[in-house]
């Protein structure tokens, strides 16, 4: 299927915070409490629409254990968005956010949009991290923030889509150089400007940026 | 198979195992990570769960009884007798007639003797005999809470569709905890790495916890030394070695992958760290492990090279792989019918590559890394 843009995302965060479940909820609309753990990296993809444009999200889901950190770092390359996930019922996963963020900042391009996600919001009774704390952390570090539940699907769509909106906005603002794939954005193969625009003639896929 | 990009409306929420074009994360029928519904049918209104001969109730590891290779019973008995004869005089066979043992491993170890054969082959029988009581001691010692926490979180995420591991507190999960915890005390430097768990689980499917532990120790320390150590350097070196060997065996595939700048760790991490337990159909996993226990890590390299052949063909067909994503999806979701045990085993034996090639490539990559590290350090010092 044709798309206007492809955005590469990466999902990071401690082991067991629900990274794979968030991805599965977003791509397949189901929750799988029982699944094999992620070793290395897994992939998912889905099409969304923003501003009437088809955008393909290519999502890399990573292993959370610290041992894998040295190889996870190479996945950041060319990511336009990152979902940094913690578990609201486990404070240690929140405490580790700084390390994750350092890693992300160091190994990705500086314009990468980072969405902070407090997952497992359905487990209110076991909450260990206040929503305000998540908000404060996000504010302090310039991230977008949301609490989600991969189980009930609450805010899952929004988390992925709002990240894409932010990236899209950055493209509109000219912050992202869309012709440089290292930014995690690719222009779709069939994306050509509307034929009614006079400037479109002769414009190939590469020349058909947004304006 | 192209990277699936179902539009919002096309997302299929059913567990339709036939739909290969469906979104790939956990959903592809050939993905070992996929955990679909149990294989259940209804009889007299009650759901009956089918368990395959290996203990799987569903998911991609489940073997359909119709697809099984069954060896004729008299042939199997003959093989069993041969193995029993070897066990009786194991030292002599290992030192004088190793090739014969190797050939018999390549043919597949009879299931009834597999557990014993693995323990003989890797030397864990010896290890256990010389470390009597050690496993229990490890269990009694207090462990590092960080490792224990990580292990506990992973217990329900190992072969969740296997009858031994499918419920909390099941004996499989309890034993898995024991093995992994004991190992963190045995080897505190490596502690617990998540990729260890599937290995330990497969061993537990075949033998009691203490035996599985020593077998596990043997694998970690002799077969895949350094794979689970902090920094995962050994796995990255082997990734480079694999890529180097690919250049020799399938230059066109090598070129394609090089052009798309696909780092080996993107496709081989799970293959190597989990010794194909999450990649191949179960009967093939066991045949690969039979050879692995006898011949070591080179078997894993050979299987990996064969997978490239299976996916892209000898000539190298990349027409569905315009970008890295499609190439990776193809490598990660190989249709199960192409991974038949006989086919994979025979292909590994036919590969035009020998031990010396592998050793040479290994030395080359180690050297390359050292030079790279040196120049990095040199660069840093200068700046």
């Amino acid at each position: 299927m044709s798309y206007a843009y492809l955005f590469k995302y990466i999902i990071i965060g401690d082991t067991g915070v629900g990274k794979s479940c968030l991805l599965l909820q977003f791509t397949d609309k189901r929750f799988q409490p029982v699944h094999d753990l992620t070793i290395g990296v897994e992939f998912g993809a889905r099409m969304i629409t923003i501003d009437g444009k088809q955008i393909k999200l290519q999502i890399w889901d990573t292993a959370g254990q610290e041992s894998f950190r040295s190889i996870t770092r190479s996945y950041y390359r060319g990511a336009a968005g990152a979902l940094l996930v913690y578990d609201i019922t486990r404070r240690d996963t929140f405490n580790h956010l700084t390390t994750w963020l350092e890693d992300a900042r160091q190994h990705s391009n500086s314009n990468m949009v980072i969405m902070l996600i407090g997952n497992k919001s359905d487990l209110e009774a076991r909450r260990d991290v206040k929503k305000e704390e998540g908000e404060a952390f996000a504010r302090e570090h310039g991230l977008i923030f949301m609490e989600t539940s991969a189980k009930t699907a609450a805010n899952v769509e929004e988390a992925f889509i709002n990240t894409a909106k932010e990236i899209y906005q950055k493209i509109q603002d000219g912050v992202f150089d869309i012709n440089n794939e290292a930014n995690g954005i690719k222009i779709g193969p069939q994306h050509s400007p509307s034929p009614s625009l006079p400037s479109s003639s002769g414009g190939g896929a590469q020349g058909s940026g947004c304006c | 198979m192209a990277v699936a990009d179902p539009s919002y409306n096309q997302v299929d929420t059913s567990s339709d195992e036939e739909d290969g074009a469906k979104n790939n994360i956990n959903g592809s029928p050939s993905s070992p990570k996929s955990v679909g519904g149990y294989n259940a049918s209804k009889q007299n209104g009650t759901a009956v769960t089918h368990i395959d001969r290996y203990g799987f109730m569903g998911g991609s590891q489940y073997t359909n009884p119709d697809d099984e290779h069954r060896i004729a019973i008299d042939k199997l008995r003959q093989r069993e007798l041969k193995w029993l004869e070897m066990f009786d005089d194991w030292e002599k066979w290992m030192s004088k007639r190793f090739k014969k043992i190797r050939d018999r491993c390549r043919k597949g170890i009879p299931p009834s003797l597999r557990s014993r054969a693995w323990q003989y082959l890797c030397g864990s029988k010896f290890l256990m005999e010389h470390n009597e009581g050690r496993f229990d001691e490890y269990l009694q010692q207090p462990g590092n809470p960080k490792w224990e926490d990580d292990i506990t979180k992973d217990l329900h995420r190992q072969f969740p569709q296997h009858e031994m591991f499918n419920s909390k507190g099941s004996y499989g999960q309890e034993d898995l905890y024991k093995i992994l915890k004991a190992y963190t005390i045995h080897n505190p430097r490596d502690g617990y790495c998540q990729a260890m768990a599937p290995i330990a689980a497969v061993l537990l499917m075949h033998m009691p916890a203490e035996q599985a532990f020593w077998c596990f120790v043997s694998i970690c320390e002799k077969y895949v030394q350094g794979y689970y150590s902090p920094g995962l350097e050994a796995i990255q070196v082997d990734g480079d070695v694999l890529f180097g060997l690919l250049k020799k065996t399938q230059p066109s595939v090598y070129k394609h992958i090089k052009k798309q700048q696909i780092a080996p760790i993107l496709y081989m991490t799970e293959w190597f760290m989990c010794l194909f337990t999450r990649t191949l159909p179960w009967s093939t996993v066991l045949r690969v492990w039979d050879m692995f226990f006898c011949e070591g890590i080179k078997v894993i390299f050979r299987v990996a090279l064969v997978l490239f052949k299976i996916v892209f063909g000898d000539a190298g067909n990349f027409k569905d792989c315009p970008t890295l994503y499609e190439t990776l999806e193809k490598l990660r979701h190989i249709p199960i019918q192409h991974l038949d045990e006989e086919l994979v085993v025979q292909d590994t034996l036919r590969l035009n590559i020998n031990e010396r090639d592998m050793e040479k490539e290994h030395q080359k990559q180690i050297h390359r890394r050292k030079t790279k590290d040196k120049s990095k350090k040199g660069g840093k010092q200068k700046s």
Side-chain angles (χ1 to χ4, degrees):
Chain A
M1 181 187 275
S2 75
Y3 52 83
Y5 295 107
L6 183 148
F7 296 165
K8 173 181 164 180
Y9 279 16
I10 172 167
I11 312 184
I12 51 175
D14 275 8
T15 176
V17 296
K19 297 182 291 296
S20 300
C21 288
L22 280 168
L23 176 58
L24 190 65
Q25 182 59 260
F26 179 66
T27 58
D28 275 35
K29 299 199 161 292
R30 61 195 169 101
F31 175 66
Q32 188 125 40
V34 170
H35 61 91
D36 277 343
L37 64 80
T38 310
I39 307 278
V41 63
E42 295 283 334
F43 302 96
R46 209 187 95 181
M47 210 67 108
I48 58 168
T49 309
I50 290 177
D51 198 17
K53 292 204 166 62
Q54 291 275 47
I55 292 174
K56 181 172 171 170
L57 301 183
Q58 179 84 55
I59 307 148
W60 297 39
D61 172 27
T62 63
Q65 205 197 16
E66 207 176 327
S67 334
F68 287 91
R69 207 66 76 84
S70 63
I71 59 173
T72 309
R73 289 188 184 120
S74 59
Y75 306 149
Y76 287 109
R77 190 168 63 102
L83 307 187
L84 170 53
V85 189
Y86 68 93
D87 173 353
I88 66 151
T89 72
R90 276 170 43 216
R91 177 153 294 271
D92 55 325
T93 67
F94 181 75
N95 293 342
H96 295 153
L97 289 176
T98 330
T99 332
W100 280 110
L101 202 56
E102 272 169 24
D103 243 28
R105 299 266 199 232
Q106 195 181 341
H107 299 279
S108 65
N109 80 73
S110 53
N111 291 316
M112 183 170 80
V113 173
I114 303 176
M115 162 75 83
L116 178 66
I117 292 180
N119 191 35
K120 308 197 186 179
S121 64
D122 54 293
L123 301 176
E124 193 53 52
R126 283 165 48 194
R127 181 186 281 276
D128 199 15
V129 181
K130 286 197 207 94
K131 192 176 177 187
E132 293 74 24
E133 294 176 86
E135 284 166 346
F137 186 94
R139 232 185 355 259
E140 189 187 334
H141 295 94
L143 320 174
I144 338 170
F145 173 70
M146 269 190 151
E147 281 197 347
T148 61
S149 164
K151 187 173 182 179
T152 66
N155 270 345
V156 173
E157 288 282 314
E158 290 80 354
F160 282 87
I161 290 171
N162 290 357
T163 309
K165 280 183 182 159
E166 186 93 0
I167 298 168
Y168 185 78
Q169 192 53 48
K170 282 195 172 188
I171 297 174
Q172 305 298 302
D173 297 345
V175 176
F176 270 125
D177 173 10
I178 45 173
N179 292 318
N180 179 358
E181 279 188 27
N183 282 328
I185 297 161
K186 219 178 116 182
I187 305 169
Q190 276 93 34
H191 182 51
S192 54
S194 149
S196 61
L197 291 171
S199 62
S200 69
S201 59
Q206 288 298 315
S208 62
C210 52
C211 44
Chain B
M1 179 166 57
V3 172
D5 52 0
S7 72
Y8 193 89
N9 297 331
Q10 288 169 326
V11 172
D12 182 0
T13 49
S14 74
S15 57
D16 184 0
E17 295 280 307
E18 297 300 310
D19 184 3
K22 210 174 70 164
N23 209 297
N24 268 321
I25 183 82
N26 288 354
S28 160
S30 54
S31 155
K33 212 188 163 206
S34 109
V35 182
Y38 289 146
N39 283 281
S41 65
K42 280 200 167 180
Q43 278 174 19
N44 306 326
T46 5
V48 178
T49 307
H50 296 297
I51 300 179
D52 75 5
R53 62 186 297 202
Y54 306 111
F56 287 100
M57 298 180 288
S60 64
Q61 277 109 354
Y62 179 82
T63 308
N64 190 327
D66 300 336
D67 301 336
E68 277 181 49
H69 279 275
R70 291 268 186 191
I71 302 170
I73 197 84
D74 50 339
K75 199 170 175 184
L76 201 59
R77 292 287 167 269
Q78 263 177 20
R79 285 187 183 174
E80 285 169 352
L81 285 174
K82 287 178 185 171
W83 273 92
L84 288 170
E85 195 192 319
M86 294 198 294
F87 290 149
D88 278 343
D89 209 353
W90 186 253
E91 302 281 308
K92 203 175 115 201
W93 276 86
M94 279 299 267
S95 57
K96 300 247 160 64
R97 304 189 65 190
F98 178 74
K99 276 199 173 151
K100 196 77 200 168
I101 300 183
R102 188 196 66 188
D103 292 346
R104 287 179 179 167
C105 288
R106 288 177 175 179
K107 280 184 182 161
I109 301 169
S112 60
L113 298 172
R114 184 165 268 135
S115 158
R116 206 167 150 194
W118 285 0
Q119 294 178 65
Y120 272 68
L121 287 162
C122 74
S124 67
K125 183 182 174 288
F126 176 87
L127 265 181
M128 191 169 94
E129 284 166 3
H130 284 74
N131 287 283
E132 219 189 303
R134 184 74 74 87
F135 178 62
D136 286 331
E137 278 168 32
Y138 287 156
L139 293 182
Q140 249 119 72
Q141 286 179 41
N144 178 336
K146 178 176 133 46
W147 297 134
E148 289 185 338
D149 189 40
D150 272 7
I151 295 170
T152 310
K153 277 202 288 272
D154 287 350
L155 292 177
H156 67 287
R157 300 195 281 176
Q158 310 304 327
F159 304 113
Q161 302 235 37
H162 191 279
E163 57 173 349
M164 275 176 74
F165 301 100
N166 76 329
S167 59
K168 206 175 171 186
S170 58
Y171 68 102
Q173 287 194 14
E174 276 180 17
D175 284 347
L176 188 58
Y177 177 82
K178 286 183 190 165
I179 294 185
L180 296 171
K181 187 230 152 159
Y183 192 76
T184 63
I185 297 180
H186 179 80
N187 183 349
R189 193 182 70 100
D190 287 2
Y192 169 64
C193 167
Q194 289 186 312
M196 290 173 171
I199 308 293
V202 175
L203 294 170
L204 276 173
M205 291 175 197
H206 290 89
M207 57 192 88
E210 188 180 5
Q211 295 173 23
F213 174 72
W214 291 108
C215 212
F216 180 72
V217 168
S218 179
I219 291 180
C220 295
E221 293 179 353
K222 288 199 309 201
Y223 286 69
V224 295
Q225 207 184 11
Y227 269 23
Y228 310 121
S229 303
L232 304 184
E233 181 148 5
I235 200 80
Q236 295 177 53
V237 171
D238 279 3
D240 293 339
V241 174
L242 177 68
F243 195 48
L245 293 171
L246 189 66
K247 186 178 185 180
K248 188 174 157 60
T249 52
Q250 291 147 97
S252 62
V253 180
Y254 169 86
K255 256 190 225 156
H256 173 79
I257 288 180
K258 190 166 184 183
K259 198 171 103 196
Q260 295 189 339
Q261 298 182 350
I262 309 177
I265 47 161
L266 290 181
Y267 48 82
M268 57 76 72
T269 307
E270 192 180 42
W271 291 355
F272 278 61
M273 290 188 94
C274 305
L275 303 174
F276 288 114
T277 51
R278 296 170 19 136
T279 310
L280 301 171
W282 208 251
S283 57
T284 314
V285 169
L286 296 176
R287 292 287 299 278
V288 168
W289 276 46
D290 288 347
M291 297 193 292
F292 169 73
F293 272 111
C294 183
E295 300 176 62
I297 194 70
K298 63 181 184 186
V299 170
I300 304 301
F301 279 99
R302 285 175 168 276
V303 173
L305 293 169
V306 163
L307 294 191
F308 283 106
K309 267 190 198 294
I310 291 172
V311 171
F312 300 110
D314 281 326
N317 178 0
F318 313 109
K319 67 174 189 315
D320 305 332
C321 303
T323 75
L324 162 149
Y325 304 111
E326 291 83 9
T327 305
L328 281 175
E329 283 297 325
K330 270 204 153 185
L331 278 170
R332 300 168 60 86
H333 302 283
I334 308 172
I336 218 147
Q337 64 271 23
H338 297 152
L339 298 171
D340 169 81
E341 52 177 297
E342 270 315 310
L343 194 123
V344 171
V345 169
Q346 291 314 318
D347 276 0
T348 63
L349 300 179
R350 271 198 291 268
L351 269 183
N352 173 30
I353 199 147
N354 59 37
E355 207 161 332
R356 204 186 306 151
D357 297 327
M358 292 197 193
E359 193 44 48
K360 235 167 90 184
E361 191 59 44
H362 188 80
Q363 293 306 334
K364 191 172 138 190
Q365 294 303 339
I366 294 273
H367 179 73
R368 206 179 60 100
R369 249 168 204 271
K370 273 189 189 153
T371 331
K372 215 165 119 189
D373 283 353
K374 255 188 209 160
S375 65
K376 243 190 217 168
K377 274 181 198 155
K380 265 185 195 163
Q381 276 163 3
K382 269 177 208 162
S383 66

